[in-house]
Amino acid sequence: MNIILYSLAIILLAASYLKDKSKTKKALKKAWKSFENILPELLVIMLLIGVLLAVVDHDLISSLLGESSGWFGVILASIIGAITLIPGFVAFPTAALLLKGG
């Protein structure tokens, strides 16, 4: 699936470049600046999650936020998410990482 999405993005970028080179270059510059603004936040969150996974036992995380936690886990996850204000582009990969970790 990732290969399809990346291929589609490259094809559409090439089509945009062929249609209007200056607009495409301007859009890529804006995207790069946006990425530069987001990168420090992304790295800090990933570092914190990595340290958390290394220090805290997986069973503890699973008991607090897993399926067996019920409504308490949902409320706790909501509170943590509201406090940290993690953007979606960071939250979803982080959640996938936590799921893979158990």
Side-chain angles (χ1 to χ4, degrees), residues 8 10 23 25 36 43 50-51 54 61 76 78:
L8 182 62
I10 290 170
K23 281 186 179 180
K25 287 180 182 178
E36 285 178 336
L43 291 176
V51 169
I61 294 173
L76 181 62
S78 299

Side-chain angles (χ1 to χ4, degrees), residues 15-91:
S16 173
Y17 185 77
L18 292 174
K19 185 174 181 182
D20 192 344
K21 293 177 184 178
S22 64
K23 281 186 179 180
T24 303
K25 287 180 182 178
K26 186 188 273 187
L28 287 173
K29 286 180 183 177
K30 282 185 178 182
W32 182 256
K33 285 191 181 247
S34 176
F35 176 70
E36 285 178 336
N37 290 336
I38 292 168
L39 188 61
E41 184 178 291
L42 178 66
L43 291 176
V44 168
I45 295 296
M46 291 178 80
L47 180 69
L48 289 174
I49 295 298
V51 169
L52 177 74
L53 289 175
V55 173
V56 178
D57 185 34
H58 291 0
D59 294 332
L60 177 64
I61 294 173
S62 181
S63 67
L64 291 175
L65 301 175
E67 289 181 30
S68 62
S69 65
W71 283 102
F72 174 75
V74 173
I75 292 170
L76 181 62
S78 299
I79 291 170
I80 293 170
I83 291 171
T84 57
L85 296 173
I86 300 174
F89 66 88
V90 177

